[in-house]
Amino acid sequence: MEHIPNFNELIEKSIKEHWNLDALTDYKGVTLQYHDVARKIEKLHIMFESSGVKRGDKIALCGRNSAGWASAFLATLTYGAVAVPILHEFTADQIHNIVNHSGAKLLFAGDVVSTQVDPTKMPDIEGIIYIPDYSLLFSRSDKLTFAREHLNEMFGKKYPKYFRQEHVSYYREQSPEEMALINYTSGTTGFSKGVMIPYRAIWSNFDFACHVMGDHVNKGDNVLSILPMAHMYGMSFEFIYEFLRGCHIFYLTRVPSPAIIAKAFAEVKPVVIIAVPLVIEKIIKKKVFPIIQNNRMRLLLNMPVVNKKVRQTIRDQVVKSFGGNFFEVIIGGAAFNQEVESFLHRIEFPYTVGYGATECAPIICYADYREFVPGSCGKVAIHNEIRIASSDPQNIPGEILVRGLNVMLGYYKNEEATRQTIDKDGWYHTGDLGVMDTEGNVFIKGRSKYMLLGANGQNIYPEEIEDKLNSMTLVNESIVIQEEDKLVGLVHPDLDEAHALGFTNSDLENIMEQNRKELNNMLPAYSKISSIRLQQEEFEKTPKKSIKRFLYLTKSFI
């Protein structure tokens, strides 16, 4: 097995090397330089130690992305404690459950979360710390209360002159197999599992990013953090990698609407863009498609003589709408809309689609945009191997299995779920179905648990039907469900567009019926849709922006 560096040593090295560079900025707010982050870490370490936090104790963090959240996370790891990042979009009950299940001793809570959580529902917690200024919101420990009240005094005693680079020294005794954090999956099953991520998996994802982005991402470069850091995709590729490289990370700190994101892209000019499909699709559909979908533009695009030049002009416009300074847009987290993907491919836009899972911290597959095969999700990442459990992996979809440094230790306090997911040979069973071509490119065909069985035993992958349906007139998003032996499409229409055009509900139903006929012309007999039902509200989603399907299997629709 190859040598895996001590992870806290890498954090220490980055802080010392980039001491006077900008590190973390709350967009339109405060900027911390690397030495400011070191100072915050040191103060939190004094507080942890004085209040009796031991190595291996759990510390939960729940709040929107911010410089304060990131500093508290780094303080937890470098102290030798185990971080429990919790998505701030979870309900108060879910947050209480995760804090209790993980056995967290402390909870760092963001501005909104701090008003939602109830300490009486978390009987074992010793204190709640307010992320914006690390003030103590609640304490069951005299030691903790005393430590917080006298923190500046204690810090001044320890560093009477001033706090310098040589004072930065972090806990080094952890092994690569030791647990760094517990990440509770959002999941679409309604039940959250605590994924135990070891240090080797975090390092392996960092090393992977160095291999694929190393020439493009350098110290002092800007990055915009859009994805929640409490999710492994945002944590690994918008925070940890960039922090260790000496980048300047900007946090949006509020709900990232397409308008806010587009404005931030223009100002920050990030060097790489990490996103989920929804963000890219919304910007393309709202900002780009209206410009190019007029008759004159269509005509020019179909004329071979001017086609290339027009494509380049469009590409330049799209690149500009993402800040104009990035080498690549990396998309992951969910399936990409085929209409948007084929458009980006056609204009030779530098994008790629990766594939991962929380259980792999998160990367499983990736290919650089120059080698990326449209429709795929790249090839297996460095330090790992992949296998398709099928008699004919190139043609017959089988479950995607992964083995290597990225794979989790298992699920916290849930040995049965661990046994069901990681087999005796160390293969992690993803629950995703795919095929793999001779070059090693992986093509995902759906979740095995989302596979529907046709009347004659055919496998139906609802996501493939939804992808086609999502590209049709006035369809904003959709899911396909099975009722007895019939398939039904549930559609949340583009109501803004419909209202702008003066359409009634009856008009919308007629349009959807037309969509259904067109869709069925593209589908084999066994996967044709019998009806489309409109849903006025957006579908409920996990923080990863995938629809919570289980909620819609027995729900009545308008």
Side-chain angles (χ1 to χ4, degrees):
M1 196 171 169
E2 63 193 292
H3 169 68
I4 297 171
N6 180 291
F7 199 76
N8 283 342
E9 207 171 317
L10 294 178
I11 297 172
E12 186 181 308
K13 185 166 170 269
S14 178
I15 286 173
K16 288 176 172 175
E17 276 179 17
H18 309 119
W19 193 249
N20 290 317
L21 290 181
D22 290 342
L24 310 169
T25 291
D26 290 337
Y27 184 58
K28 304 290 185 197
V30 66
T31 291
L32 302 181
Q33 294 191 315
Y34 279 82
H35 64 86
D36 298 317
V37 176
R39 194 181 177 88
K40 284 187 183 296
I41 289 172
E42 195 58 34
K43 283 190 171 180
L44 288 172
H45 282 185
I46 291 170
M47 189 164 79
F48 293 163
E49 197 169 352
S50 309
S51 62
V53 174
K54 308 259 186 310
R55 315 287 182 217
D57 279 348
K58 318 293 183 297
I59 296 176
L61 304 103
C62 187
R64 289 178 299 189
N65 286 5
S66 67
W69 194 109
S71 302
F73 176 84
L74 292 168
T76 301
L77 255 55
T78 52
Y79 185 77
V82 175
V84 184
I86 304 173
L87 286 146
H88 68 279
E89 287 135 313
F90 280 154
T91 64
D93 280 348
Q94 287 173 307
I95 296 167
H96 300 147
N97 288 341
I98 291 171
V99 166
N100 295 337
H101 186 268
S102 66
K105 211 168 191 179
L106 298 173
L107 167 65
F108 282 88
D111 51 0
V112 179
V113 170
S114 61
T115 64
Q116 297 167 334
V117 291
D118 177 356
T120 64
K121 302 271 175 66
M122 300 177 283
D124 298 331
I125 204 145
E126 290 187 3
I128 299 175
I129 299 157
Y130 187 57
I131 290 173
D133 61 5
Y134 299 149
S135 57
L136 203 52
L137 294 175
F138 171 81
S139 175
R140 284 193 175 101
S141 153
D142 294 342
K143 278 178 165 176
L144 176 63
T145 307
F146 181 87
R148 184 60 191 96
E149 282 171 3
H150 298 86
L151 193 52
N152 287 337
E153 192 188 316
M154 290 157 123
F155 184 80
K157 256 194 194 133
K158 194 170 180 183
Y159 304 104
K161 291 267 194 276
Y162 49 89
F163 182 66
R164 298 187 300 274
Q165 274 143 303
E166 58 265 32
H167 295 137
V168 176
S169 176
Y170 297 146
Y171 181 68
R172 299 277 177 88
E173 287 161 42
Q174 93 266 13
S175 81
E177 284 300 314
E178 203 172 301
M179 178 165 60
L181 58 108
I182 306 174
N183 202 234
Y184 282 79
T185 59
S186 53
T188 39
T189 57
F191 176 67
S192 222
K193 293 198 282 270
V195 177
M196 297 188 285
I197 306 280
Y199 276 97
R200 64 163 157 77
I202 299 183
W203 173 81
S204 179
N205 272 272
F206 165 69
D207 193 52
F208 153 79
C210 290
H211 275 80
V212 301
M213 295 195 258
D215 298 341
H216 305 281
V217 178
N218 298 293
K219 68 177 183 182
D221 283 342
N222 288 354
V223 176
L224 183 65
S225 169
I226 305 170
L227 305 168
M229 283 189 288
H231 192 267
M232 286 313 300
Y233 186 30
M235 163 83 69
S236 294
F237 303 128
E238 283 184 335
F239 170 38
I240 289 176
Y241 169 68
E242 285 81 357
F243 188 85
L244 296 184
R245 295 285 291 187
C247 293
H248 182 185
I249 304 163
F250 289 77
Y251 294 113
L252 279 178
T253 70
R254 52 198 162 154
V255 179
S257 71
I260 289 172
I261 292 172
K263 191 169 181 292
F265 278 146
E267 289 173 26
V268 173
K269 297 186 174 15
V271 70
V272 62
I273 291 167
I274 314 286
V276 291
L278 204 69
V279 171
I280 304 298
E281 286 164 15
K282 278 190 172 171
I283 289 174
I284 298 286
K285 281 180 174 178
K286 297 277 182 212
K287 302 248 177 218
V288 182
F289 279 179
I291 301 166
I292 64 161
Q293 286 181 334
N294 61 43
N295 289 339
R296 182 172 157 270
M297 209 47 141
R298 280 199 177 125
L299 195 67
L300 291 173
L301 270 171
N302 289 322
M303 290 171 70
V305 187
V306 287
N307 181 322
K308 197 168 181 206
K309 202 155 194 157
V310 174
R311 276 207 319 254
Q312 191 169 347
T313 307
I314 295 168
R315 181 172 68 244
D316 292 347
Q317 254 180 329
V318 179
V319 165
K320 195 163 166 249
S321 66
F322 290 101
N325 188 43
F326 60 93
F327 82 95
E328 179 176 73
V329 173
I330 301 171
I331 296 159
F336 201 17
N337 176 281
Q338 290 283 276
E339 184 192 13
V340 176
E341 180 168 4
S342 62
F343 161 72
L344 292 179
H345 184 62
R346 200 172 162 203
I347 63 167
E348 294 173 11
F349 183 77
Y351 80 96
T352 186
V353 180
Y355 164 54
T358 304
E359 288 84 349
C360 292
I363 203 70
I364 295 173
C365 291
Y366 167 90
D368 180 276
Y369 74 93
R370 288 162 294 207
E371 294 162 19
F372 174 68
V373 176
S376 81
C377 59
K379 300 174 182 179
V380 68
I382 185 173
H383 306 307
N384 298 279
E385 50 185 322
I386 202 165
R387 191 158 69 79
I388 306 288
S390 160
S391 56
D392 180 3
Q394 284 175 45
N395 301 303
I396 299 171
E399 189 175 11
I400 300 169
L401 312 182
V402 190
R403 185 165 67 178
L405 291 186
N406 288 17
V407 176
M408 65 171 178
L409 297 166
Y411 297 112
Y412 190 57
K413 297 180 183 169
N414 195 338
E415 283 178 26
E416 192 191 336
T418 303
R419 274 196 303 275
Q420 286 169 359
T421 311
I422 302 175
D423 66 27
K424 60 181 187 349
D425 298 317
W427 289 100
Y428 159 60
H429 291 241
T430 63
D432 291 320
L433 299 174
V435 293
M436 184 160 64
D437 68 14
T438 50
E439 302 291 304
N441 293 297
V442 174
F443 298 80
I444 293 173
K445 293 295 177 190
R447 294 282 299 169
S448 54
K449 61 179 150 191
Y450 299 155
M451 192 181 77
L452 306 175
L453 215 53
N456 297 324
Q458 308 92 335
N459 294 342
I460 300 166
Y461 302 112
E463 286 146 307
E464 292 189 356
I465 305 171
E466 289 153 16
D467 193 63
K468 290 182 170 65
L469 186 50
N470 290 345
S471 296
M472 303 188 98
T473 310
L474 292 178
V475 175
N476 208 4
E477 53 185 7
S478 67
I479 54 172
V480 171
I481 62 167
Q482 200 167 23
E483 289 184 349
E484 293 176 350
D485 61 346
K486 289 189 164 56
L487 295 179
V488 177
L490 310 176
V491 167
H492 170 56
D494 189 338
L495 294 172
D496 293 345
E497 189 72 19
H499 292 152
L501 294 166
F503 288 159
T504 63
N505 219 41
S506 167
D507 293 331
L508 271 175
E509 279 171 0
N510 291 335
I511 289 165
M512 291 308 151
E513 181 55 15
Q514 188 56 41
N515 282 344
R516 186 185 73 84
K517 288 174 180 167
E518 279 180 41
L519 176 67
N520 283 347
N521 286 338
M522 297 184 255
L523 298 171
Y526 63 82
S527 63
K528 288 189 190 300
I529 302 287
S530 66
S531 64
I532 286 181
R533 287 189 217 143
L534 291 174
Q535 148 139 334
Q536 299 293 356
E537 301 297 320
E538 259 191 50
F539 293 107
E540 277 194 53
K541 305 204 179 58
T542 69
K544 213 170 78 171
K545 301 298 177 222
S546 50
I547 294 168
K548 294 182 175 177
R549 288 171 181 269
F550 63 95
L551 293 178
Y552 297 93
L553 301 180
T554 54
K555 218 168 179 181
S556 58
F557 288 81
I558 48 153

